[in-house]
Amino acid sequence: MNVFKTIEVRAAVCVAAFAGAAGYAETWPTRQRDNFNTGRAAYSIPAERLNSGLFGVFAWQKPMPGGVNEGNTGGSSPVFFDGAGPGGTDIVVCGYHWPKGVLGVNRHTGAKFWEGNPRGGELIGETTPAFSLNGQTLYLVNDATQSETFPNGHALMAFATSSGPTTYWHNGASACPECLGTGSPKVAPDGRIFNHAWNDRPYAAADMGVAITGPVWAADTAISACPSDLAMTSNGGTQLIVMGGRNARLTAFDAASGVTVWSKSLSRIIDAAPTVDPNTGRIYVPAGSDTIDVVAVNADGTLPWSTLTKRVFTSTGVNNPQLARSAGCLSHDGLTYYFQTVSRQNDGRLYAINTTNGATRWSLATQSGGWDDVTSSPIVTPNGIVVVGNNNGGVYYAVRDNGTSATVIATFAMDAGGPARSSAAMSADGFLYLPMRTAWIASNGDGDVPSANTRNLLCAIDLRTGATAVLPPPGGQMALIRNQAVLLKWNAIPDAAGVFDHYNIYRSLSPFTDVTGMTPIASVSPRTTAQYLDTSAANGTSYYYAVTTATAGGGERKQIGSIGPRTPRDETDRQVVSVA
């Protein structure tokens, strides 16, 4: 890679400090929201929604291409940019793993704008796209992009947000396409696109509108950057690219020249992305693949704590080794840094670190599992609610930070072996976005009819005051006639969020398609109940039936078609009209 030591910086470096990139308003344009990797959501979840049903109110669900037997959800995380979709609409975008590609939908309704894979293999379902500064362009990386024309591939690709990946441009003609082919890209305030090469260093490219050129910038030293992503900050007038690596160092590079500004030697590798406090420039990152330390460095390279690192977990040979694999997040007051570990034995933990001295405020067993995969990073609301997935454990958590302890508010388990490796995005108007492998129970702006079967879904969860969970009517409904009775049967409804309360049984003497204004003849529970015997039915009278699902908050889907008519009779009461 010596050729890149003398690379000319072709893209002008913006004079404005990188800290100016903090104000994203109604956008979440990159993984962990911003170039600081703060993971700060702008919405305070109302007290009435802080209960076990927090994940259970779906505003919409949009099936991702392919079926559950064709692939799983991956580590790609949702990003959104208001006004950047077709016709100035608000768009949310997420990668999917199989048949592999990227999906763009209306973030308010889930109506599909586009989907597809510009070119390549599996990585598109693991990495997270990034929007350009004005949202008009999406950047993403993928593997297996080689062709006869581009034998070295074109790992970094771009396409118009308004039209999707059918038409795209890329870095295939650059001197080193793979230099920007690892991790989730970041877009600097001057428009340069930053990423890194596996087991190497960070690089930057420039988007010319018809092709991506470069690298136009390269760090002067390889740092064995592997799964880690980078962060951006500034020290006075010097803009910095900060990144850790498996060389057991945390290094800051000059964003104009690529020269190393400072580098801190550690005793442990860094696989996680740093998080930067936008107000102070201070950098935090966890380190380790057995014992875990947390690292803090000021933007000028000085130490804010008494030592460079603070121990948070010690591997003894009796307990299980832990790995710090993904970025953390920073509380809105800057006083707490959160990150999560993984282990092969599914006993990783979520940690809260006091940023004034590096002490551990609390840790919570999230049963986080994994090792080599892209893993979930926590995000945090202004009122101290942390949302994170426990990765191969297949559960998303909502956790309240109580200061010296944590309380699990809600959990949501994925279906059919689905992982929880994505990092959530949350809008200022109260919607939480996640890809989920779960029962399809909510429609979307395309009018798709939910099947209640397990699907890979891009989901919007309504966190607002007054939002009520609604479960679909149970499937497989049938009515069987009996003597002075009708036996109703159905399939028990799935309820990963735990919002089920009871089933309502409706009956009428005429067909119906809506139960609004009707009074149920019975309500039954628990959720596993799958039949009801209506003993009030009279022989010779025809009835129509329907079963709906009511949630703990009173939600109920009223629109349902009745089954019938069913006319009870006594099968043994037959007159003999002749004898042979």
Side-chain angles (χ1 to χ4, degrees):
M1 293 297 177
N2 290 338
V3 64
F4 297 115
K5 291 184 178 179
T6 58
I7 289 176
E8 177 186 0
V9 179
R10 298 183 180 89
V13 178
C14 189
V15 176
F18 277 22
Y24 280 122
E26 276 294 270
T27 69
W28 193 290
T30 189
R31 182 180 167 92
Q32 286 304 91
R33 178 152 194 203
D34 48 46
N35 290 340
F36 307 112
N37 296 320
T38 64
R40 286 174 169 173
Y43 184 72
S44 291
I45 304 174
E48 73 170 56
R49 295 287 287 109
L50 295 177
N51 54 54
S52 61
L54 182 144
F55 290 108
V57 186
F58 290 105
W60 52 260
Q61 293 175 306
K62 184 64 182 180
M64 292 178 164
V68 294
N69 296 322
E70 296 177 292
N72 219 320
T73 55
S76 185
S77 300
V79 290
F80 61 83
F81 204 115
D82 284 6
T89 50
D90 300 341
I91 187 171
V92 60
V93 175
C94 189
Y96 53 88
H97 194 267
W98 194 263
K100 60 198 177 186
V102 63
L103 172 68
V105 304
N106 185 304
R107 80 167 183 88
H108 302 288
T109 69
K112 185 177 74 176
F113 292 139
W114 43 256
E115 67 182 42
N117 186 358
R119 184 177 178 86
E122 308 295 328
L123 196 59
I124 196 169
E126 297 294 338
T127 59
T128 299
F131 286 96
S132 63
L133 299 179
N134 62 8
Q136 299 305 303
T137 304
L138 271 164
Y139 302 102
L140 71 164
V141 300
N142 205 358
D143 61 343
T145 57
Q146 294 83 359
S147 65
E148 290 186 8
T149 306
F150 300 102
N152 294 322
H154 47 79
L156 179 61
M157 296 175 281
F159 58 84
T161 308
S162 60
S163 56
T166 302
T167 300
Y168 67 98
W169 56 101
H170 55 73
N171 71 336
S174 71
C176 180
E178 70 272 17
C179 286
L180 291 110
T182 303
S184 298
K186 297 283 189 185
V187 180
D190 60 9
R192 287 179 298 166
I193 308 105
F194 282 79
N195 213 351
H196 70 283
W198 184 263
N199 199 32
D200 189 12
R201 71 196 82 190
Y203 295 87
D207 184 0
M208 310 307 292
V210 293
I212 298 174
T213 63
V216 298
W217 177 97
D220 66 354
T221 304
I223 59 172
S224 298
C226 289
S228 175
D229 288 328
L230 58 85
M232 301 180 185
T233 187
S234 62
N235 177 34
T238 302
Q239 318 304 324
L240 302 177
I241 303 299
V242 183
M243 196 172 190
R246 290 184 176 175
N247 66 344
R249 302 188 74 91
L250 179 65
T251 305
F253 302 98
D254 188 307
S257 66
V259 171
T260 298
V261 177
W262 51 257
S263 186
K264 301 299 179 182
S265 179
L266 310 170
S267 60
R268 314 206 173 276
I269 68 166
I270 297 178
D271 270 1
T275 293
V276 176
D277 187 327
N279 294 321
T280 67
R282 184 179 297 174
I283 301 120
Y284 306 97
V285 66
S289 58
D290 43 25
T291 291
I292 303 296
D293 294 336
V294 62
V295 184
V297 183
N298 291 322
D300 62 3
T302 59
L303 304 185
W305 301 338
S306 58
T307 56
L308 174 61
T309 65
K310 296 287 186 178
R311 182 64 42 86
V312 297
F313 172 82
T314 301
S315 178
T316 63
V318 177
N319 55 15
N320 297 315
Q322 304 286 301
L323 172 66
R325 182 66 169 75
S326 59
C329 67
L330 188 65
S331 64
H332 287 250
D333 60 11
L335 297 179
T336 307
Y337 170 63
Y338 308 92
F339 71 92
Q340 183 179 235
T341 61
V342 295
S343 83
R344 291 186 173 94
Q345 293 77 22
N346 283 27
D347 61 357
R349 301 181 73 91
L350 177 66
Y351 291 89
I353 305 299
N354 185 333
T355 60
T356 61
N357 57 20
T360 300
R361 295 186 187 275
W362 51 260
S363 72
L364 177 72
T366 55
Q367 293 79 47
S368 177
W371 201 262
D372 294 323
D373 295 321
V374 174
T375 56
S376 179
S377 292
I379 68 169
V380 62
T381 69
N383 57 335
I385 305 302
V386 179
V387 178
V388 68
N390 74 348
N391 302 299
N392 289 354
V395 178
Y396 285 100
Y397 282 75
V399 177
R400 178 193 286 118
D401 183 353
N402 301 318
T404 58
S405 64
T407 302
V408 176
I409 300 297
T411 59
F412 194 99
M414 299 298 96
D415 288 350
R421 296 195 288 111
S422 184
S423 304
M426 189 184 298
S427 63
D429 53 357
F431 294 93
L432 180 73
Y433 300 96
L434 275 171
M436 291 179 154
R437 188 178 179 92
T438 189
W440 182 19
I441 61 174
S443 186
N444 50 61
D446 292 321
D448 297 337
V449 178
S451 66
N453 296 325
T454 298
R455 291 290 303 268
N456 296 329
L457 303 158
L458 181 57
C459 301
I461 297 166
D462 192 342
L463 302 174
R464 298 173 298 175
T465 298
T468 302
V470 176
L471 292 172
Q477 296 189 28
M478 63 178 65
L480 308 173
I481 61 171
R482 296 291 187 266
N483 183 24
Q484 301 286 354
V486 175
L487 177 63
L488 303 176
K489 292 186 175 183
W490 60 86
N491 300 327
I493 198 75
D495 180 30
V499 297
F500 173 88
D501 192 75
H502 62 269
Y503 297 108
N504 282 326
I505 315 296
Y506 291 93
R507 186 184 74 184
S508 176
L509 298 177
S510 57
F512 56 89
T513 58
D514 193 309
V515 298
T516 302
M518 296 176 62
T519 301
I521 61 170
S523 297
V524 296
S525 59
R527 181 189 63 83
T528 52
T529 303
Q531 66 179 36
Y532 171 77
L533 184 64
D534 176 16
T535 58
S536 66
N539 285 352
T541 302
S542 297
Y543 300 97
Y544 295 82
Y545 291 91
V547 183
T548 65
T549 311
T551 61
E556 181 186 28
R557 185 175 297 170
K558 302 287 188 178
Q559 294 72 39
I560 182 172
S562 59
I563 53 176
R566 298 294 186 269
T567 308
R569 62 178 181 268
D570 185 353
E571 293 286 350
T572 64
D573 184 17
R574 298 178 178 176
Q575 290 184 333
V576 178
V577 294
S578 65
V579 176

